[in-house]
């Protein structure tokens, strides 16, 4: 997913650069393995070759992942492929956890790797062991921490999914106020990043030249829907506001009964980033997981789940991207806008004050 180089990216990187930290040398839990230098920032400086990394990971024999639902961007197939390919047992911890929960329980549950929203990765950078995968140079600079503490694996756009048998294609979020649309957010915006993103995308629908969301606008739109009795749950909705990969996956299952649009003027984007726990009990397996996820195979498997792989542009140029699958992704109106950390913080604070009393 090509992303506009803007102040958003600069702010994220500036914050991350301050938060990222080096880590200490640690040993694996398997006493037959040599000490692993978790300060190592690359495969070459850490294990030397993929063969040696695979050997060390297989000796560890396990990998702890957290917050990876099997129906989210094809992670079920990705997890199974990795386990079969390397003969490593995967322990799937709290698949339904959100990014904040991942960091909160890290000391207790001991995940080896994290899958996080970018804002939570910035805040949690001190918990991560820097590591630069072999495909590092293919990742856009504005979606990775310069030290390797965290780096985007996949992204998407906020979208509107709709039943074309029941309603006309909405050209904008404002169209949802017209009669006939029964609208659902993908969760509670005070707790769900998908629902929060939906409110923020609606906050951009005026097409402001700055591209910055205006939270009051999104809250107002959903408050009007609530007052009209047309803000409902997903089981009763003919419109669902969510990430495009989730709406596209539903469209793939339902065919002509479900369509997806990314409204012009509301191209809000978001990335999920990867990081290695600096206290990972299986440090070699953690690094092997990252190498797999950022390999051509791993990136194409993410795209199979309708996510937009972070290495996608470079893979397209190299001829390794699954272009047939890429053509199935919803067409965006242009490069996405990424919210800055201050914008995200301010919007979350506004929703915390206003959402319950305005929308409920």
């Amino acid at each position: 997913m090509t992303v506009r180089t803007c102040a958003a990216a600069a702010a994220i990187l500036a914050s991350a650069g301050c938060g990222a930290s080096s880590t200490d040398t640690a040993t694996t839990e398997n006493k037959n393995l040599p000490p692993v230098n978790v300060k190592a920032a690359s495969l070459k400086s850490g294990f030397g070759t993929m063969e040696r990394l695979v050997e060390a990971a297989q000796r560890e024999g396990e990998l702890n992942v957290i917050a990876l639902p099997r129906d989210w961007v094809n992670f079920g197939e990705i997890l199974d492929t990795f386990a079969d390919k390397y003969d490593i047992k995967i322990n799937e911890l709290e698949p339904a956890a959100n990014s904040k929960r991942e960091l909160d329980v890290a000391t207790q549950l001991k995940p080896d790797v994290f899958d996080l929203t970018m804002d939570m990765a910035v805040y949690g950078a001190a918990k991560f062991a820097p590591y630069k995968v072999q495909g590092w140079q293919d990742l856009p600079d504005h979606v990775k921490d310069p030290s390797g503490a965290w780096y985007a694996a996949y992204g998407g756009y906020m979208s509107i999914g709709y039943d074309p048998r029941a309603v006309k294609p909405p050209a904008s979020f404002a169209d949802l106020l017209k009669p006939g649309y029964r609208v659902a957010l993908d969760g509670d915006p005070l707790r769900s990043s998908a629902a929060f993103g939906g409110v923020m995308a609606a906050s951009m629908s005026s097409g402001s030249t700055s591209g910055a969301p205006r939270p009051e606008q999104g809250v107002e739109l959903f408050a009007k829907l609530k007052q009209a009795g047309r803000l409902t749950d997903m089981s009763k909705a003919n419109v669902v506001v969510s990430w495009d990969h989730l709406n596209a996956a539903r469209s793939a299952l339902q065919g002509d009964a479900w369509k997806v649009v990314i409204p012009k003027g509301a191209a809000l984007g978001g990335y999920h980033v990867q990081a290695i726990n600096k206290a990972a009990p299986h440090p070699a397996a953690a690094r092997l997981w990252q190498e797999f996820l950022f390999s051509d195979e791993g990136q194409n498997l993410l795209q199979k789940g309708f996510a937009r792989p972070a290495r996608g542009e470079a893979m397209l140029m190299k001829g390794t991207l699954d272009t047939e699958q890429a053509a199935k992704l919803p067409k965006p109106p242009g490069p996405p806008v990424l919210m800055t950390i201050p914008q995200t913080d301010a919007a979350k604070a506004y929703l915390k004050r206003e959402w319950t009393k305005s929308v409920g």
Side-chain angles (χ1 to χ4, degrees):
M1 176 164 110
T2 304
V3 180
R4 181 180 304 154
T5 302
C6 59
I12 290 170
L13 286 180
S15 300
C18 296
S21 64
S22 61
T23 54
D24 297 326
T25 300
T27 58
T28 68
E29 291 182 339
N30 187 332
K31 294 182 180 179
N32 293 322
L33 290 173
V36 175
N37 180 7
V38 296
K39 282 185 178 178
S42 68
L43 176 68
K44 184 176 180 181
S45 59
F47 291 88
T49 65
M50 273 296 292
E51 290 75 14
R52 291 181 63 185
L53 177 60
V54 170
E55 180 182 359
Q58 289 176 331
R59 287 179 181 173
E60 291 173 349
E62 296 185 35
L63 174 72
N64 298 343
V65 301
I66 188 169
L68 297 183
R70 297 181 69 83
D71 58 354
W72 173 268
V73 297
N74 198 35
F75 265 119
E77 183 176 357
I78 293 168
L79 291 164
D80 292 344
T81 301
F82 177 85
D84 292 342
K85 186 182 185 78
Y86 297 112
D87 192 25
I88 290 174
K89 177 185 176 183
I90 298 181
N91 303 309
E92 299 176 39
L93 311 173
E94 292 201 21
N98 62 24
S99 293
K100 182 177 184 302
R101 173 72 176 170
E102 288 184 62
L103 297 177
D104 288 346
V105 300
T107 301
Q108 175 189 355
L109 297 184
K110 297 180 173 56
D112 291 302
V113 290
F114 300 99
D115 178 279
L116 302 158
T117 56
M118 196 175 287
D119 61 325
M120 292 309 300
V122 169
Y123 291 129
K127 297 178 182 289
F128 309 149
Y131 181 76
K132 296 182 179 180
V133 293
Q134 293 183 94
W136 179 261
Q137 295 301 323
D138 291 343
L139 301 174
D141 288 343
H142 48 277
V143 295
K144 62 187 180 185
D145 169 64
S147 76
W150 52 263
Y151 25 91
Y154 60 94
Y157 289 80
M158 191 51 57
S159 69
I160 298 175
Y162 65 96
D163 182 349
R165 302 165 301 178
V167 294
K168 294 181 180 180
S172 67
F173 278 90
D175 280 354
L176 301 183
L177 295 173
K178 297 176 180 178
Y181 293 98
R182 299 192 308 277
V183 183
L185 283 166
D186 193 353
D188 179 348
L190 300 180
R191 298 174 179 84
S192 162
S193 63
F196 173 77
V199 178
M200 291 304 100
S203 299
M204 296 168 56
S205 60
S206 65
S208 68
T209 55
S210 68
R214 293 161 46 195
E216 65 279 5
Q217 180 174 299
V219 171
E220 181 182 2
L221 183 144
F222 286 103
K224 288 180 178 178
L225 286 169
K226 179 74 171 182
Q227 292 164 9
R230 293 193 287 110
L231 183 61
T232 185
D233 60 57
M234 294 178 69
S235 66
K236 299 175 183 176
N238 54 32
V239 168
V240 173
V241 179
S242 189
W243 292 114
D244 62 340
H245 64 82
L246 293 173
N247 272 321
R250 181 172 178 178
S251 180
L253 290 173
Q254 298 187 11
D256 290 338
W258 198 253
K259 299 295 183 182
V260 189
V261 63
I262 303 169
K264 185 178 180 180
L268 180 69
Y271 276 97
H272 271 246
V273 305
Q274 306 301 304
I276 296 171
N277 187 354
K278 72 176 183 180
H282 312 108
R287 287 157 177 76
L288 182 60
W289 168 256
Q290 303 294 14
E291 293 290 358
F292 175 73
L293 203 59
F294 286 87
S295 69
D296 290 348
E297 181 180 12
Q299 292 280 282
N300 277 321
L301 284 171
L302 285 165
Q303 185 179 247
K304 189 176 177 181
F306 299 96
R308 299 171 192 269
R311 290 186 54 239
E313 186 173 354
M315 289 170 60
L316 180 62
M317 294 177 64
K318 296 174 183 178
T320 58
L321 186 72
D322 182 346
T323 53
E324 183 177 348
Q325 177 62 26
K328 298 178 183 178
L329 272 59
K331 186 176 180 179
V337 172
L338 298 178
M339 292 179 67
T340 66
I341 298 299
Q343 286 172 349
T344 300
D345 288 345
K348 287 183 176 180
Y350 181 83
L351 261 64
K352 188 175 182 180
R353 294 193 309 269
E354 301 295 333
W355 182 262
T356 300
K357 68 180 182 182
S358 298
V359 184

